[in-house]
Amino acid sequence: ETAAARKSMWFDENQTLAANDPIRVKKPARGAVYPIFVGDELAGTLAIGKSTRNRSAGLRAFSSSESLAIEAFAQFLAIQIANARAHQEEISERVIARELEMAGTIQRSLLLKELPDLAGMELAAHCQSAHHVGGDFYDVLKTSDDSALLVIADVMGKGVLAAMFAAILRAVLRATPELTDRKSVV
C-alpha cells in the first residue's frame, strides 16, 4: 500500500494485513512503513514497528522526533541505493571500456604491418571499423612472386568475441598451406 500510495503509512494491531504481508509475520503492535525513492523510482520500503503497546503514544508508535529520524534514515537509504547503483554503472562502464580496448588491440594485431611485394603490383590497405571495434580484418597471403590471395573478412558482431573469432580465422587461414599453393588457388 505504501508503494502504491507513494507515502508513508502507519499501522497498528487493529488493522488486518494480507496473509503474505511481511509485517504480519513479525506481528508488531504498531509502526510505520516509509517508501524509499531514488528520484521518482520506488527502490523499496522501510518498515519499523514496536511489539509493545504504548497507550500513551496514541495512534502512532513513534514520537515526532523518532518519526523524523526514521524519515531521515529512509532518505539516507535512498542516497545509499543511488550511490550503489552509480558505482555499479561505473564499474560496468570500466569493464566495457577495458573489453573494447582489448578487442581493439586484437583487431590491430591482425592487420598487416607490411604488405608483401608482388612483381608488377603495388598494394595498399586501410581498415577502419564502423564501431569502436569488431571482427573486420584483411590479410594478403603471397602465393608466388607475382600473385597473392587477398582475404577480406567481416566477422558478424562487435567487441571481443568478434575480434577473437577474426583472430582464429586468420590463424586458420595462415596455417592452411593449400591456400598458398599456386596449383590449388583458383
Side-chain angles (χ1 to χ4, degrees):
E1 287 179 43
T2 296
R6 301 176 71 84
K7 64 179 186 175
S8 58
M9 295 185 152
W10 296 92
F11 62 89
D12 64 26
E13 67 272 6
N14 298 323
Q15 291 173 305
T16 304
L17 299 172
N20 63 346
D21 193 312
I23 295 172
R24 185 175 183 171
V25 174
K26 295 295 181 182
K27 299 179 185 172
R30 294 179 183 195
V33 181
Y34 296 85
I36 300 173
F37 289 96
V38 176
D40 288 335
E41 178 189 347
L42 178 71
T45 57
L46 171 64
I48 298 183
K50 288 186 176 180
S51 58
T52 59
R53 296 179 185 178
N54 183 355
R55 298 285 179 215
S56 63
L59 294 176
R60 295 198 168 190
F62 305 104
S63 67
S64 294
S65 60
E66 288 173 325
S67 294
L68 289 173
I70 294 168
E71 284 183 40
F73 183 68
Q75 292 171 358
F76 171 77
L77 288 176
I79 292 168
Q80 292 305 309
I81 291 168
N83 286 341
R85 286 179 180 175
H87 182 68
Q88 187 59 44
E89 285 178 24
E90 182 181 332
I91 289 171
S92 295
E93 288 173 8
R94 284 183 185 176
V95 167
I96 290 168
R98 178 67 182 132
E99 284 185 1
L100 287 173
E101 182 183 319
M102 288 173 22
T105 300
I106 293 167
Q107 186 176 30
R108 284 186 299 280
S109 74
L110 296 176
L111 302 177
L112 297 174
K113 306 292 182 258
E114 201 174 294
L115 296 169
D117 289 327
L118 297 173
M121 287 188 224
E122 281 189 36
L123 298 176
H126 175 75
C127 182
Q128 183 173 348
S129 292
H131 298 280
H132 294 286
V133 68
D136 304 336
F137 80 99
Y138 64 87
D139 200 356
V140 180
L141 303 170
K142 189 172 180 176
T143 58
S144 70
D145 287 340
D146 62 350
S147 66
L149 174 63
L150 175 60
V151 179
I152 300 173
D154 182 359
V155 177
M156 190 166 86
K158 298 166 194 65
V160 175
L161 291 177
M164 290 299 295
F165 187 78
I168 292 167
L169 178 60
R170 181 173 187 254
V172 168
L173 288 171
R174 289 197 161 249
T176 308
E178 300 86 42
L179 293 175
T180 57
D181 180 7
R182 189 171 172 85
K183 295 174 196 159
S184 64
V185 176
V186 178

